[in-house]
Amino acid sequence: MASFDIVSKVDPQTLENAVNTAQKELQTRYDLRDTKGGIELNKKDNTILLSSENSMRVKALEDILLGRVVKQGIDGTSLDFSADEQPSGQLIKKTIKVRAGVDKEFGRKIIKAIKDAKVKVEAQMQDDQVRVTAKKIDDLQAAIAVLRRTDIGLPLQFVNMKS
């Protein structure tokens, strides 16, 4: 049986480079020069912390970060900007999660997209990835083509192809 895995991951070194270049840009921008706070990467929790004096500057930090992430070749949808801003003393902080792995909700969307396309493959959820199996490699390639056309809302990589 031929198979491949569908995963969603971000290279940690590339993400660190993007955050570092965003921090450098923050220091050189005239409108944000005397800003308290900044951009910090927490590798352990896989999150990015933005902090500044007001929500307008936090929004500017988001724009800087997103621009640098995209320039480094990371898909912008791998960052989850949905968290709310929280006041913390004189600063406003916002935590941005870096999406790693395919959770159950996105796994269901992937499996549903494959089933709706009526490709002769079998898809199943395994931990933080989806394994797709078929009798022929052509069917697997058709499943990959279907997923590339479908907007799941998560950057997908197709790895571990076996025939």
Side-chain angles (χ1 to χ4, degrees):
M1 295 284 288
S3 68
F4 70 91
D5 296 330
I6 302 170
V7 297
S8 178
K9 56 186 172 183
V10 175
D11 181 32
Q13 184 62 46
T14 308
L15 181 64
E16 186 176 1
N17 290 344
V19 170
N20 288 340
T21 56
Q23 288 171 339
K24 287 180 184 176
E25 183 177 337
L26 176 64
Q27 294 170 353
T28 60
R29 289 239 332 225
Y30 179 74
D31 58 339
L32 300 172
R33 187 168 297 159
D34 296 328
T35 302
K36 294 178 183 157
I39 302 172
E40 299 172 24
L41 174 65
N42 186 342
K43 294 179 189 176
K44 186 183 264 186
D45 296 338
N46 215 14
T47 60
I48 301 170
L49 179 68
L50 305 177
S51 57
S52 189
E53 290 95 8
N54 56 36
S55 59
M56 184 183 77
R57 287 189 174 167
V58 171
K59 187 69 175 159
L61 292 177
E62 285 180 16
D63 293 340
I64 291 170
L65 178 66
L66 186 60
R68 290 298 165 183
V69 164
V70 170
K71 281 187 179 180
Q72 289 285 336
I74 299 173
D75 194 340
T77 58
S78 62
L79 300 178
D80 184 13
F81 289 101
S82 64
D84 292 333
E85 300 170 349
Q86 294 121 7
S88 173
Q90 295 179 345
L91 297 177
I92 295 177
K93 295 184 177 182
K94 183 170 185 176
T95 304
I96 299 171
K97 287 187 176 183
V98 180
R99 294 179 179 153
V102 178
D103 62 353
K104 290 183 180 183
E105 175 190 341
F106 287 111
R108 287 189 198 118
K109 286 182 182 179
I110 291 169
I111 292 170
K112 184 177 183 319
I114 291 172
K115 285 185 179 181
D116 289 347
K118 297 185 179 168
V119 182
K120 295 181 182 178
V121 296
E122 192 71 31
Q124 59 191 17
M125 190 73 192
Q126 293 183 343
D127 294 333
D128 61 347
Q129 65 184 16
V130 176
R131 168 132 325 145
V132 180
T133 57
K135 292 183 180 178
K136 296 187 284 184
I137 290 182
D138 293 341
D139 295 334
L140 293 178
Q141 291 173 341
I144 290 172
V146 165
L147 290 173
R148 286 199 172 136
R149 285 191 305 259
T150 307
D151 181 29
I152 301 294
L154 189 68
L156 300 176
Q157 292 89 32
F158 307 102
V159 298
N160 209 11
M161 179 81 111
K162 297 177 184 174
S163 56

